[in-house]
Amino acid sequence: SQKIEQNSEALNIQEGKTATLTCNYTNYSPAYLQWYRQDPGRGPVFLLLIRENEKEKRKERLKVTFDTTLKQSLFHITASQPADSATYLCALDSTGGFKTIFGAGTRLFVKA
Amino acid sequence: SQTIHQWPATLVQPVGSPLSLECTVEGTSNPNLYWYRQAAGRGLQLLFYSVGIGQISSEVPQNLSASRPQDRQFILSSKKLLLSDSGFYLCAWSRPDRGNQPQHFGDGTRLSIL
């Protein structure tokens, strides 16, 4: 069955460092991969979308890579700040479908 | 700009009671609408999606149902709640194009069944 794996252990980093979160998937050939941020008690907020034919996409301090051979996406936050502390969800989408599949997310803590 | 409203924010219901959660979207027409449930430490589970008024697709067999009586209104219901229905329920919308569309979420309803 289709499966998305995100590191269930929280990631703790120091302010100013680069945070790198991993999303691995199996039994799936997504056309698009999305990253969302979720704060406690709130709904997820869309951050970035990357297509299968794109290797990298950037938005301000965020960078996403998509390796369809490794079946993996990496999400980077450079110059991290305490305000970046949240849970980050990876989501996969197939062309023509409505069934986006979400990972369980990785909790990020950025210490001042 | 588009906004999505979901209520109530929290709800405590006894087992066997009915349920009605409402979601409305403003600032867009003919959105795709979604209901998800999120269990602690787990990914979002898609429950229902809708591409138009009266059109509902169910993803997971259960005692929940959904309706879309108006273009920008999506309702999640149950006639008799089970303990296993506890969770965080999220409504979302996306533009009416297949794929390639991010979803925009409401702030959810925390449902506790006693």
Side-chain angles (χ1 to χ4, degrees):
Chain A
S1 62
Q2 298 163 345
K3 197 173 178 183
I4 300 179
E5 289 183 349
Q6 293 187 257
N7 196 339
S8 58
E9 289 185 20
L11 179 64
N12 292 281
I13 65 167
Q14 201 67 36
E15 182 177 12
K17 301 292 186 184
T18 296
T20 299
L21 286 70
T22 304
C23 174
N24 295 297
Y25 59 92
T26 55
N27 298 323
Y28 203 70
S29 296
Y32 311 99
L33 190 145
Q34 303 173 24
W35 283 89
Y36 291 76
R37 169 185 172 139
Q38 186 173 23
D39 291 290
R42 307 293 298 273
V45 174
F46 170 73
L47 297 175
L48 279 170
L49 179 150
I50 186 167
R51 294 175 177 78
E52 62 179 337
N53 60 350
E54 297 176 316
K55 291 203 181 302
E56 181 180 300
K57 181 164 276 190
R58 292 174 185 261
K59 178 183 176 182
E60 297 172 355
R61 294 185 295 112
L62 308 180
K63 184 178 86 170
V64 173
T65 63
F66 192 9
D67 189 326
T68 55
T69 302
L70 290 179
K71 294 187 181 296
Q72 181 181 79
S73 174
L74 298 178
F75 177 79
H76 305 273
I77 305 175
T78 58
S80 60
Q81 304 165 1
D84 295 325
S85 298
T87 297
Y88 291 87
L89 308 177
C90 164
L92 306 180
D93 205 348
S94 59
T95 304
F98 300 95
K99 302 177 188 179
T100 301
I101 301 175
F102 286 82
T106 298
R107 191 82 187 269
L108 172 67
F109 291 99
V110 181
K111 293 181 286 187
Chain B
S1 65
Q2 302 88 7
T3 56
I4 179 168
H5 302 280
Q6 198 179 335
W7 67 92
T10 59
L11 189 60
V12 180
Q13 292 283 101
V15 169
S17 63
L19 174 73
S20 180
L21 301 180
E22 190 162 342
C23 171
T24 59
V25 180
E26 296 176 358
T28 187
S29 296
N30 196 29
N32 295 331
L33 296 172
Y34 310 84
W35 278 112
Y36 290 89
R37 178 169 55 206
Q38 185 177 34
R42 303 184 70 174
L44 278 67
Q45 179 188 32
L46 179 63
L47 302 175
F48 301 94
Y49 68 89
S50 171
V51 300
I53 296 174
Q55 300 178 61
I56 308 294
S57 295
S58 173
E59 289 299 302
V60 182
Q62 56 212 329
N63 68 322
L64 298 172
S65 62
S67 62
R68 184 170 177 173
Q70 300 180 45
D71 181 44
R72 289 168 288 179
Q73 183 185 29
F74 206 23
I75 298 171
L76 183 69
S77 304
S78 174
K79 291 182 180 177
K80 261 187 172 183
L81 286 167
L82 307 172
L83 281 174
S84 57
D85 292 323
S86 292
F88 190 47
Y89 287 83
L90 289 157
C91 179
W93 72 271
S94 68
R95 296 194 186 280
D97 299 313
R98 287 181 175 269
N100 192 27
Q101 295 298 325
Q103 296 186 22
H104 306 278
F105 289 83
D107 275 337
T109 295
R110 176 76 57 190
L111 176 63
S112 300
I113 310 298
L114 303 178

